[in-house]
Amino acid sequence: IALDIRSFDGVLGGEVFLDVSWSVIDDRSGAVVQTHQASYRGVAAGDGYDAYAAALSETLVQLGDDLAAALGRLASAGKAPKGS
């Protein structure tokens, strides 16, 4: 999986965001199997850095869930890259 993180930022005590695109690449042939673009948003539960970091972390969890789902769909369709 190749990730292109375009932005990963936010406002202390406010909204955070992650804008990313990713490609699933067959590690043997180098062929791009699938590409995606996504934006994730969250809101810090407080004004401090701990809440800000937790909100950013949640956007990464959302990305991880989407990556796992995409790979699962590819595997179900028999199109998963070799070695995954």
Side-chain angles (χ1 to χ4, degrees), residues 27-38:
D27 63 346
R28 293 187 185 174
S29 70
V32 175
V33 177
Q34 197 171 75
T35 60
H36 298 271
Q37 294 183 34

Side-chain angles (χ1 to χ4, degrees), residues 6-31:
R6 294 183 295 249
S7 60
F8 185 49
D9 203 358
V11 177
L12 197 62
E15 187 177 33
V16 299
F17 51 90
L18 169 61
D19 292 317
V20 62
S21 63
W22 74 87
S23 299
V24 179
I25 301 169
D26 187 306
D27 63 346
R28 293 187 185 174
S29 70

